[in-house]
Amino acid sequence: MKRSDFRFFHRLRVRWAEVDMQKIVFNAHYLMYFDTAVADYWRALAMPYEEAMHELGGDLYAKKASIEYHASARYDDRLEVGLKCAHVGTSSMQIPCAIFRDNELLITGELLYVFADPATQKSKPVPAPLRELLMAYEAGEKVVSVKLGSWNELGEPAHRIRTQVFIEEQRVPMEMEWDEADKTCLHAVARNRLGQAVGTARLLPAEQGTATIGRVAVNRVLRGSGVGRQLMDTLMDAARERGDKRILLHAQCTAQAFYRGLGFEPHGDVYEEAGIPHINMTRDFAGG
């Protein structure tokens, strides 16, 4: 196998607890690396695994794992685990895997999963939406789409995601989360190819050329997978098209690095909102 055989890579660094006296990785840990990469693969497909499998009416169970050793990984190595879905049968999925240190191939393997009923663990056909999602991703197609609309159009999925993220996870009081601005905002909802809503955000009307993007919420297990960036890019494009000159964020401090990566800069002091540290961040549009 070659690096060019894969479009998905999971990156890791070998830890001390994973090596023997010679600082060589214990053989069994390579299967753990494969398993960890598979979990990250679902994130690359924008698929919250537990929720998705519940909706699909089944689960995936490991049926077979094979591995071939070519060279050893050592303590503190930076490794990349490449994997792909090479074939989807009636009820099974074939996933070739490989571990690289830079361009050196260390390990190859293959995982075989079977889609089955969780109650009986008897195999059942892979659902067509899951099959199509896997093939689309491997073909390089987008796995997330963002729709813009009013609260009347998108309020139901936006409300559900914001409830999960802000009220249940971050414990923001309900009376602080819901306001009249929702009725006048342009809302964005991101969906994966299974039709699941996985993220939302809103764009407020501009005041003196400055618009505010807020309520940016992404399914917990998909943060860092690119969903938030797609939401922000979509709303920034909408703001630019309507003639806004600047975007303002009331950003949670823990998300500063994410927003900096989108060209936003912090301004002023840190303050608390709903018990969470925030800082204002802005981005001017070129030529504005």
Side-chain angles (χ1 to χ4, degrees):
M1 295 184 188
K2 308 182 294 294
R3 287 179 56 87
S4 57
D5 292 332
F6 305 94
R7 70 182 300 258
F8 170 82
F9 287 93
H10 170 77
R11 293 167 177 82
L12 61 93
R13 185 190 286 273
V14 176
R15 300 174 299 177
W16 184 259
E18 297 162 1
V19 299
D20 60 18
M21 295 285 290
Q22 286 75 42
K23 299 182 182 179
I24 292 174
V25 171
F26 289 106
N27 288 344
H29 280 294
Y30 295 113
L31 285 173
M32 180 186 67
Y33 296 162
F34 286 159
D35 190 54
T36 303
V38 169
D40 213 21
Y41 182 76
W42 301 126
R43 296 180 70 251
L45 272 63
M47 195 180 95
Y49 184 85
E50 186 176 357
E51 296 174 26
M53 288 301 160
H54 178 75
E55 289 189 17
L56 292 169
D59 208 339
L60 289 168
Y61 296 86
K63 177 71 173 180
K64 181 181 178 182
S66 62
I67 190 165
E68 185 174 354
Y69 304 96
H70 305 281
S72 297
R74 296 178 175 275
Y75 170 66
D76 215 32
D77 276 351
R78 290 180 180 269
L79 304 179
E80 292 182 298
V81 184
L83 60 81
K84 62 181 178 180
C85 182
H87 177 70
V88 182
T90 302
S91 61
S92 64
M93 292 171 40
Q94 180 186 3
I95 301 180
C97 312
I99 298 177
F100 300 89
R101 179 175 53 214
D102 297 325
N103 290 317
E104 181 184 6
L105 177 64
L106 303 182
I107 308 292
T108 55
E110 185 175 281
L111 305 175
L112 183 67
Y113 286 90
V114 173
F115 189 78
D117 185 310
T120 64
Q121 294 195 0
K122 290 183 177 181
S123 64
K124 55 190 299 187
V126 175
L130 178 58
R131 182 187 300 272
E132 292 165 4
L133 169 60
L134 291 163
M135 296 300 98
Y137 175 79
E138 293 297 346
E141 299 176 18
K142 289 185 177 180
V143 295
V144 173
S145 61
V146 178
K147 182 178 180 180
L148 295 175
S150 67
W151 186 250
N152 285 339
E153 297 171 299
L154 300 176
E156 189 277 327
H159 187 283
R160 185 170 65 252
I161 296 166
R162 284 164 53 181
T163 297
Q164 291 171 350
V165 173
F166 296 126
I167 296 176
E168 296 176 1
E169 181 184 341
Q170 298 184 355
R171 294 181 172 82
V172 173
M174 285 189 183
E175 60 271 19
M176 295 188 67
E177 176 56 30
W178 311 115
D179 56 28
E180 291 298 311
D182 276 328
K183 298 177 182 178
T184 60
C185 287
L186 179 65
H187 295 269
V189 170
R191 294 184 184 273
N192 62 17
R193 290 183 76 113
L194 298 178
Q196 295 175 294
V198 294
T200 188
R202 71 182 191 180
L203 175 68
L204 279 73
E207 296 183 3
Q208 298 181 336
T210 297
T212 300
I213 291 178
R215 302 301 199 271
V216 183
V218 174
N219 185 292
R220 180 179 58 83
V221 301
L222 296 182
R223 289 169 202 161
S225 67
V227 174
R229 175 176 286 272
Q230 286 185 248
L231 286 166
M232 289 294 299
D233 285 343
T234 301
L235 287 180
M236 285 192 292
D237 287 344
R240 187 185 291 108
E241 289 173 8
R242 74 183 186 187
D244 299 342
K245 306 302 181 183
R246 169 181 287 190
I247 297 291
L248 169 67
L249 304 172
H250 303 293
Q252 293 188 13
C253 289
T254 53
Q256 270 195 84
F258 166 69
Y259 292 121
R260 279 184 178 274
L262 293 171
F264 288 84
E265 292 295 333
H267 295 281
D269 297 326
V270 173
Y271 58 93
E272 280 202 0
E273 191 172 291
I276 301 171
H278 283 69
I279 190 165
N280 288 344
M281 301 183 76
T282 61
R283 173 179 167 175
D284 293 330
F285 292 131

